[in-house]
Amino acid sequence: MNFENTFSYNVDQFTLISHVLSLGFAVMAAGLVYFLVTRGSLAPRYQFSSVLSAVVMVSAFFELFLLYQRWVGAFRWDGTAFVQSDTLFSNGYRYVNWSIDVPVLLIQLLVVMGVTGRRFHLSWVAFVVGGLAMIYTGYAGQFYEIERSAPYWIWGLVSTAFFLLLLVLVARTVYGNLGRLPASARPLARGVWWLLLGSWLLYPGAYLMPAYWDSADGVVARQITYTVADITSKVVYGVLLGIIARRVSAAEGYAPAVADEVALPRGGI
Ligand code: RET
């Protein structure tokens, strides 16, 4: 069970969380349209990056929409506060959604950084295996977040080891392939690394929230943290990779169809 179910909430806390969760799925729907519409401005081999972003948007949309419904169903107004009703809120839905999104986001990086052949295959396997190991060990640990007994800390640490491994692999993917990119795209690729680092660190921060902010306000902070992390690690990251792919496409001499020139501001966004 999650610590969200151990408190009652005043009107402000309850509505703030409802709004933050609804922002999450609304942004994913908007992102889906953006990635589909701008797909044509990329050279065919990079269009797969937009398709991967669209996959992330659809899966995150449904997960966050479900979570929003769980939230509004898990509490009822008793005249003074929002108290537990007969269903539970669960962040577990987030973890299962990450099983799709984490591998897809990392594979998208390989596509845009121009990794191909054997290297692509090896990195692909390492990202999927490492990513799933990080997520499922963390998933096991979050069941113990209320009592914060040994499994909470042990699974959290095991998950962190996989996280560090992934970060090393991501840093190598970005910095090891910078030379393949046109000069105009290199600062953006470095930006992708820092964005990924900053946004992904928010997830372990949210995992730890019950340990250092064990109150209804801590729950508000945790759901805001998750939403900021979701928007930056999925949408902003996808937009940034799209801009890089567009610059690489242009450097490779790809000229988008006329309709795309009209749809996008000059120079692309
Ligand atoms: C867990 C458990 C505690 C330790 C660590 C974790 C890391 C989670 C991460 C999740 C990233 C999710 C993303 C989703 C995007 O769709 C599992 C919370 C280190 C890094 C990027």
Side-chain angles (χ1 to χ4, degrees):
M1 184 160 103
N2 287 144
F3 96 137
E4 276 80 358
N5 300 300
T6 61
F7 304 107
S8 31
Y9 300 90
N10 66 34
V11 177
D12 291 348
Q13 291 162 332
F14 181 83
T15 20
L16 194 54
I17 292 179
S18 311
H19 294 162
V20 164
L21 291 173
S22 74
L23 173 68
F25 68 76
V27 171
M28 300 304 148
L32 177 64
V33 174
Y34 174 86
F35 292 119
L36 292 180
V37 168
T38 56
R39 194 175 139 241
S41 63
L42 306 181
R45 62 186 281 217
Y46 299 111
Q47 291 193 4
F48 189 46
S49 163
S50 299
V51 173
L52 292 175
S53 274
V55 168
V56 169
M57 293 302 104
V58 171
S59 79
F61 173 87
F62 281 107
E63 177 255 325
L64 292 170
F65 187 64
L66 181 76
L67 213 59
Y68 166 81
Q69 289 184 315
R70 297 293 295 191
W71 175 258
V72 292
F75 303 92
R76 64 180 169 79
W77 179 247
D78 77 348
T80 47
F82 281 93
V83 297
Q84 275 292 299
S85 70
D86 50 9
T87 48
L88 286 178
F89 180 79
S90 168
N91 287 302
Y93 295 105
R94 295 186 180 278
Y95 287 69
V96 287
N97 166 255
W98 301 341
S99 346
I100 301 172
D101 290 358
V102 165
V104 171
L105 290 170
L106 294 174
I107 291 166
Q108 192 181 359
L109 183 68
L110 296 176
V111 172
V112 173
M113 294 306 295
V115 182
T116 50
R118 202 174 125 74
R119 269 215 162 272
F120 180 86
H121 188 73
L122 287 176
S123 309
W124 185 94
V125 172
F127 281 155
V128 173
V129 174
L132 293 182
M134 172 185 83
I135 294 160
Y136 294 145
T137 49
Y139 178 73
Q142 55 93 39
F143 282 109
Y144 301 90
E145 70 178 25
I146 292 176
E147 58 274 35
R148 290 188 291 288
S149 50
Y152 172 72
W153 300 105
I154 294 169
W155 286 125
L157 274 177
V158 177
S159 174
T160 303
F162 287 111
F163 179 46
L164 295 177
L165 180 81
L166 285 183
L167 288 180
V168 171
L169 290 174
V170 169
R172 281 176 45 178
T173 304
V174 171
Y175 287 93
N177 293 292
L178 274 185
R180 294 169 196 259
L181 298 179
S184 66
R186 284 179 208 155
L188 293 176
R190 288 192 200 95
V192 165
W193 157 252
W194 290 109
L195 177 76
L196 186 145
L197 182 66
S199 59
W200 285 39
L201 274 170
L202 294 174
Y203 292 100
Y207 180 92
L208 285 173
M209 200 71 83
Y212 60 86
W213 200 348
D214 195 6
S215 68
D217 282 338
V219 172
V220 176
R222 168 140 96 165
Q223 295 306 322
I224 292 176
T225 303
Y226 273 136
T227 304
V228 171
D230 282 344
I231 294 175
T232 47
S233 74
K234 301 179 214 259
V235 187
V236 179
Y237 172 86
V239 170
L240 207 51
L241 284 183
I243 297 173
I244 294 174
R246 205 160 295 132
R247 293 202 178 164
V248 178
S249 302
E252 288 175 356
Y254 177 76
V258 177
D260 292 312
E261 292 280 22
V262 176
L264 285 172
R266 224 154 22 105
I269 42 171

